[in-house]
Amino acid sequence: MGQHTVEVNKDNFEEEVLNSDMPVVVDFWAPWCGPCQAIAPVLEELGAEYTGKVKVAKVNVDDNQELATEYQVASIPNLVFFKGGEAVDRQIGFSSKGDLENKINSL
């Protein structure tokens, strides 16, 4: 993980995501997923640019099947946008930094 993203799992998901006082972008990913690797640097940049405004979290679906199932993650990368503990938006597949900025700004 980069310094501007936080690794989350079932043990800290509630604390880091649901109880966060700022919006959270959760990246459901896996090490074997090419597009996930491609989007990781974009998320790191966004995490840096939106420090203190938006948190970027990563969930490895191989290690966290329960969370993937709970949030209906069938294909990855799958970004779920949380605000106030609720999943309010999502982006499936690779997307550009501009598209992600638009979604973040709409939070």
Side-chain angles (χ1 to χ4, degrees):
M1 298 305 97
Q3 62 189 50
H4 298 290
T5 57
V6 58
E7 183 76 39
V8 295
N9 55 45
K10 65 183 188 311
D11 297 327
N12 66 353
F13 190 85
E14 184 175 357
E15 178 190 347
E16 292 285 354
V17 178
L18 303 181
N19 295 339
S20 174
D21 54 3
M22 64 179 106
V24 186
V25 179
V26 179
D27 174 24
F28 287 88
W29 72 289
W32 46 264
C33 163
C36 298
Q37 304 296 342
I39 205 169
V42 175
L43 292 170
E44 178 68 20
E45 282 178 34
L46 290 169
E49 288 170 27
Y50 287 89
T51 297
K53 296 186 189 118
V54 172
K55 183 187 296 185
V56 178
K58 298 177 76 72
V59 173
N60 183 331
V61 296
D62 286 349
D63 300 336
N64 296 279
Q65 286 292 322
E66 307 94 341
L67 286 173
T69 301
E70 183 177 347
Y71 291 100
Q72 295 156 358
V73 173
S75 58
I76 52 175
N78 194 319
L79 306 179
V80 183
F81 298 79
F82 286 85
K83 186 175 183 180
E86 297 290 318
V88 294
D89 199 357
R90 73 172 56 215
Q91 175 71 43
I92 299 171
F94 183 81
S95 49
S96 72
K97 185 176 174 187
D99 287 346
L100 294 176
E101 283 177 326
N102 289 340
K103 284 190 179 281
I104 288 171
N105 290 330
S106 73
L107 295 173

